[in-house]
Amino acid sequence: MRFNLIFACVTLLCAINVSMGQQPSALEKHRYVVLPAKNVLVTVASQPDCPLQLEGVKFLYDVDEKRLAMAYQLRNRGAKPLFIKSYTIAAWYSQGGGWTSGELGSKNGLLPGQYLSVNDRFEEVPLTNEWRDKLELRGGMRQVAVLMIESIEYTDGSTYSGKLLSEALASYFENSVSASSHGK
């Protein structure tokens, strides 16, 4: 139960942190534990028509500031010979809640075939028994997080939208939480 409260608090901090466009260099100042998939599974939604692919996602816990962050790579797998100017990522949690974050692909955009690493520079702290106990990471699955690309804007103003999928997923998790809390 304590983990769920901690998870809810740090999820809010993570959403604020991500939405403020945290720079990768900010992660270098902190130490992070990579949360194990057996406790917190982070998965990427299947979006075969989406030109951006999320890869190498890691769910991180900042042991200094007691907050969550994510590290990932984006790959432009699209065929449009245009720069991706911006994108929005959404994350939805099986216990309800989530966040969306608008980001700039890079100063010049992201062309087909290019990668962008986000928050990939951090000091990883080994997940010792002490950290497992502090973070209550004993036992089984605590949470599932589904990440997806919610929108993309190209430099010519054209867009990709995954908003319908994002809204459907958020609604599904909210309804699941609501049904389970009412004993259904």
Side-chain angles (χ1 to χ4, degrees):
M1 186 62 150
R2 182 170 175 245
F3 179 83
N4 293 337
L5 180 59
I6 290 171
F7 190 82
C9 291
V10 293
T11 298
L12 176 61
L13 290 173
C14 181
I16 292 167
N17 186 35
V18 170
S19 68
M20 294 174 68
Q22 178 184 22
Q23 297 299 314
S25 61
L27 284 176
E28 294 177 49
K29 299 175 185 174
H30 299 282
R31 298 172 305 141
Y32 289 82
V33 170
V34 176
L35 297 179
K38 80 172 229 168
N39 300 115
V40 182
L41 176 64
V42 180
T43 187
V44 176
S46 175
Q47 294 177 276
D49 62 333
C50 181
L52 274 181
Q53 176 68 42
L54 280 157
E55 298 176 351
V57 178
K58 290 183 182 180
F59 210 35
L60 310 168
Y61 182 78
D62 182 330
V63 299
D64 299 313
E65 296 203 5
K66 314 295 188 257
R67 61 187 168 100
L68 292 173
M70 288 200 192
Y72 54 87
Q73 279 192 327
L74 286 169
R75 179 173 53 94
N76 184 345
R77 64 180 183 184
K80 238 180 196 184
L82 295 169
F83 285 109
I84 290 177
K85 178 175 138 183
S86 64
Y87 63 93
T88 301
I89 291 180
W92 301 110
Y93 301 110
S94 60
Q95 293 180 355
W99 52 262
T100 60
S101 173
E103 302 279 339
L104 290 177
S106 71
K107 283 185 179 180
N108 300 320
L110 195 61
L111 281 171
Q114 289 184 327
Y115 285 84
L116 172 68
S117 293
V118 178
N119 295 340
D120 64 337
R121 290 182 259 169
F122 57 90
E123 180 185 343
E124 186 174 337
V125 176
L127 185 58
T128 62
N129 286 333
E130 179 184 357
W131 279 115
R132 283 184 193 282
D133 291 339
K134 283 183 182 180
L135 298 174
E136 296 184 7
L137 294 175
R138 301 280 183 192
M141 186 75 57
R142 305 277 193 224
Q143 183 73 271
V144 175
V146 179
L147 272 69
M148 61 171 298
I149 304 296
E150 190 173 74
S151 65
I152 296 170
E153 182 181 2
Y154 290 92
T155 52
D156 71 350
S158 61
T159 61
Y160 163 87
S161 179
K163 189 110 174 122
L164 290 175
L165 173 60
S166 181
E167 289 170 351
L169 184 59
S171 176
Y172 174 78
F173 282 150
E174 287 170 14
N175 290 336
S176 294
V177 169
S178 178
S180 67
S181 68
H182 290 105
K184 292 185 180 177

